[in-house]
Amino acid sequence: MKKMWDKCSSIEKVLVVLSSILFISAIVILVNFESLFKRKFVHPDDKIAEVIKVDQQVKRRMPMSFEFDNLEEGQTIGNGDSIFSGDNSQIMVKFLKGSQLVIGEQSLVVLREVGGKLDMKIEKGGVSGALSESEEIEIKADDESVTINGEKDAQFSVSYKPGLGMEIVSYEKNLNVKYRGDEVKMKNKRAVVSNKKGIEIQKNSYNSKAKDKDLSSTTPEDNLDLTPPKMPKGLDVEELNVKSKPVALSAPFPELNHVFLHTKGGQIPIFPQEQCMEKCTLELKINGATALKKDFTKNSLPLVYLMIEANIEAEISWTFTDGETLTSGVFEVKKNNEDNFSKALTNRQPAEVMN
């Protein structure tokens, strides 16, 4: 080998060295190709969404990639990207047409746009979101495939469990669900979709009742609220003399953890029960302080309207007693902005834009 090397000319030696360097470099590049040439950006033509918020660690795999990379706020989502969220992790994305989507923990979802229509496949886990006006979304999971559309800002959640099918939940606004030629309208309902039973609809209930409340461990002083009811500035209650149920309401209203978003105030009906079976009492607490206690006679309609001025934000809890039955709920009033809407969506809270 040495004799052959000695017989080589200077040019031949240079060529051999350069060839060796190129060969070794090619091997190094091939072994480390993924880390050296990561596609860290999405081509403008492929962009379908933007990352609004990330909790904990969420990863993304692009169509031409073999590995998952970390996703951060402000990055763009490309057509065909796979999104994975681990334990206690979730991500909120906003699509170009305006719809927003939250991918929950322990989920793997592929996001695509096909023929101008948003298309997603849930490999595992679940998503929740809010529709933009007139947008249609196709959601796939294993052998099931449903298409949803509905009113502007209609909220929904979809989860998938292998062998059990997809569960779809609708909230305050109408949501249309199409599955294998069948179409149903959903509002405050839950549907289970499977290839065996088709679409099964159930009412989405948020009411909670507690009967025979045990007060043996408390004293009368513990249950006595010495603070006189007082409405805080910017809020008031209008009591209406009505004898029949308002057509548009379904008790209890507002539903649990509902969020009302507004810019110039308005009114919110508080309607805990269809009718008083016995003498009833409605108590409101605003930001933890008692603001109203109102009694209703037997067989009357328990209904009041909470009047809200502009720029008001508050947490309102209500407790309704009818004989030995107790019903309670909590809702929030927030300023109408993207941050508050995004938080409601992230927390899977029913949200209603008042104005």
Side-chain angles (χ1 to χ4, degrees):
M1 181 69 69
K2 184 177 179 182
K3 291 181 179 180
M4 292 180 61
W5 180 258
D6 291 339
K7 292 180 179 180
C8 292
S9 65
S10 299
I11 295 176
E12 289 174 331
K13 290 179 179 179
V14 170
L15 291 174
V16 170
V17 172
L18 289 176
S19 299
S20 301
I21 292 173
L22 289 173
F23 179 73
I24 295 172
S25 299
I27 293 176
V28 171
I29 291 173
L30 184 63
V31 172
N32 299 279
F33 180 84
E34 188 68 35
S35 59
L36 291 173
F37 296 98
K38 283 184 179 178
R39 182 185 173 192
K40 296 183 179 180
F41 66 93
V42 174
H43 191 278
D45 293 340
D46 291 333
K47 180 180 177 180
I48 61 173
E50 181 180 350
V51 179
I52 301 300
K53 184 178 180 181
V54 176
D55 287 336
Q56 303 297 327
Q57 192 174 61
V58 178
K59 294 181 177 291
R60 176 256 303 276
R61 184 180 66 198
M62 295 180 176
M64 300 302 293
S65 177
F66 300 101
E67 295 182 354
F68 281 89
D69 302 319
N70 290 335
L71 257 182
E72 299 178 357
E73 293 179 14
Q75 288 187 311
T76 57
I77 302 294
N79 200 352
D81 286 357
S82 299
I83 312 297
F84 174 73
S85 57
D87 290 333
N88 302 315
S89 301
Q90 62 181 7
I91 180 174
M92 171 180 283
V93 300
K94 186 173 183 178
F95 295 96
L96 299 183
K97 292 184 178 180
S99 292
Q100 297 188 60
L101 186 75
V102 174
I103 299 174
E105 65 173 343
Q106 286 294 330
S107 298
L108 176 60
V109 180
V110 182
L111 301 178
R112 296 184 299 178
E113 188 176 283
V114 181
K117 181 172 69 175
L118 180 60
D119 177 297
M120 71 177 74
K121 183 174 183 182
I122 303 176
E123 301 284 356
K124 69 172 183 176
V127 302
S128 60
L131 295 172
S132 68
E133 193 169 11
S134 302
E135 182 161 16
E136 192 172 70
I137 301 177
E138 185 173 0
I139 304 174
K140 301 175 181 177
D142 201 10
D143 295 331
E144 282 80 30
S145 176
V146 300
T147 302
I148 64 172
N149 59 29
E151 297 180 71
K152 180 177 171 57
D153 297 328
Q155 291 180 270
F156 66 91
S157 65
V158 181
S159 58
Y160 172 66
K161 294 182 180 179
L164 299 178
M166 282 192 285
E167 180 183 84
I168 303 171
V169 178
S170 63
Y171 298 97
E172 274 302 294
K173 296 191 175 182
N174 287 316
L175 185 76
N176 302 321
V177 179
K178 301 176 185 178
Y179 177 69
R180 295 187 176 180
D182 295 330
E183 182 174 358
V184 296
K185 280 192 174 183
M186 296 173 54
K187 184 177 180 181
N188 287 329
K189 291 181 180 179
R190 182 175 70 93
V192 177
V193 178
S194 65
N195 55 12
K196 292 182 179 179
K197 297 183 178 180
I199 305 177
E200 294 183 296
I201 300 290
Q202 294 182 354
K203 186 175 180 180
N204 193 12
S205 176
Y206 297 90
N207 190 16
S208 62
K209 295 184 178 180
K211 292 188 177 182
D212 301 324
K213 185 179 179 182
D214 183 12
L215 300 178
S216 59
S217 61
T218 62
T219 64
E221 289 76 16
D222 293 328
N223 297 307
L224 184 62
D225 188 355
L226 299 178
T227 305
K230 181 181 179 181
M231 297 298 298
K233 185 178 180 180
L235 294 102
D236 202 356
V237 168
E238 181 179 357
E239 302 172 15
L240 302 180
N241 184 19
V242 290
K243 296 183 179 180
S244 61
K245 171 189 169 183
V247 177
L249 295 182
S250 177
F253 187 89
E255 43 185 306
L256 185 63
N257 294 326
H258 198 112
V259 178
F260 293 91
L261 303 170
H262 74 103
T263 54
K264 55 184 180 181
Q267 60 180 22
I268 299 172
I270 300 176
F271 182 45
Q273 189 169 293
E274 302 279 347
Q275 186 182 39
C276 288
M277 306 306 294
E278 303 291 339
K279 181 181 177 181
C280 302
T281 301
L282 174 65
E283 179 179 349
L284 293 185
K285 287 189 176 183
I286 300 177
N287 296 328
T290 302
L292 174 75
K293 282 186 178 180
K294 178 171 174 57
D295 294 328
F296 297 88
T297 60
K298 183 178 179 179
N299 297 327
S300 65
L301 180 72
L303 170 69
V304 298
Y305 280 88
L306 183 65
M307 315 301 292
I308 303 164
E309 295 182 4
N311 299 318
I312 291 295
E313 292 192 329
E315 180 179 276
I316 296 97
S317 62
W318 57 267
T319 304
F320 183 74
T321 55
D322 185 354
E324 296 182 349
T325 301
L326 182 144
T327 310
S328 62
V330 177
F331 63 94
E332 292 179 284
V333 175
K334 295 283 189 180
K335 295 178 182 178
N336 184 13
N337 55 48
E338 185 171 338
D339 185 49
N340 284 333
F341 188 87
S342 297
K343 286 180 181 178
L345 193 59
T346 300
N347 296 329
R348 297 191 178 188
Q349 294 175 273
E352 179 175 334
V353 179
M354 298 173 61
N355 47 61

